[in-house]
Amino acid sequence: AVVSTQSTGGIIAANRDQVNKTFGLRENVALGLKPYGHNYQYDVSVPAQTMEQLVADVRARVAHIPDVIVTSFGHIGDNDIHIHVIAPHASDEVVGAVEPYIYTRVTELGGSISSEHGIGTQKAGVLSLNKKQPLLDTMRLLKNTFDPRGILNPNKILLQQP
């Protein structure tokens, strides 16, 4: 389902063919946005009742930048929302307006800075905005216990400490 002031409902697949078609649409959103410019994608989760507010907040952050579009879609069942900020071209100004703001705002709304696509390398540097230090310490302890040489997915999720 799409959460916005224009939303009129959602989709519930009745059979496998409809599931496949629905996921086909979902998987092609970024491709459909490509003609509009550079697409900054944010996969976050927030309580469903705050999704519309988060999108409005991101729009407000980039409103002063000409020709920037903010669009989103999500799956309310798991509170996941994909926010796309599209600029005519790659722009440090857009990145500066959105990051790390979006991650701080998600935390304020009671969400997580990463939903279905994980932390990876892009969000490793901002994980501490969303997770408390004792949890990060426990994650690092587990990582070091099972990967003492740091050879499994280095700098994914947790940046290596000097």
Side-chain angles (χ1 to χ4, degrees):
V2 177
V3 177
S4 75
T5 55
Q6 293 82 32
S7 179
T8 58
I11 299 170
I12 299 175
N15 55 51
R16 177 54 59 190
D17 185 52
Q18 288 180 359
V19 168
N20 292 338
K21 287 179 181 176
T22 301
F23 269 95
L25 290 170
R26 176 206 183 281
E27 294 300 322
N28 286 306
V29 168
L31 183 62
L33 294 172
K34 193 171 184 160
Y36 297 96
H38 190 84
N39 187 355
Y40 298 93
Q41 300 177 49
Y42 301 92
D43 170 43
V44 297
S45 67
V46 292
Q49 67 272 20
T50 66
M51 287 180 173
E52 189 172 356
Q53 183 61 55
L54 178 61
V55 174
D57 293 344
V58 172
R59 282 187 178 131
R61 291 287 296 191
V62 297
H64 67 283
I65 306 171
D67 303 318
V68 172
I69 302 165
V70 177
T71 188
S72 65
F73 72 95
H75 13 109
I76 294 175
D78 61 0
N79 296 334
D80 187 8
I81 185 166
H82 301 267
I83 297 177
H84 295 260
V85 180
I86 302 107
H89 49 79
S91 165
D92 290 340
E93 183 180 16
V94 171
V95 173
V98 178
E99 298 176 22
Y101 171 78
I102 190 168
Y103 304 122
T104 302
R105 187 66 180 125
V106 162
T107 300
E108 292 169 354
L109 294 171
S112 178
I113 64 167
S114 184
S115 194
E116 67 183 312
H117 297 290
I119 300 296
T121 56
Q122 289 183 317
K123 296 179 183 176
V126 295
L127 185 59
S128 63
L129 296 174
N130 190 245
K131 303 299 179 199
K132 294 186 181 346
Q133 193 59 49
L135 177 60
L136 295 173
D137 292 343
T138 300
M139 292 168 68
R140 187 164 277 107
L141 176 66
L142 289 169
K143 169 73 171 159
N144 291 337
T145 298
F146 292 106
D147 183 21
R149 292 185 295 154
I151 59 173
L152 303 174
N153 283 333
N155 291 315
K156 303 267 181 9
I157 300 179
L158 298 169
L159 296 176
Q160 292 180 345
Q161 301 225 333

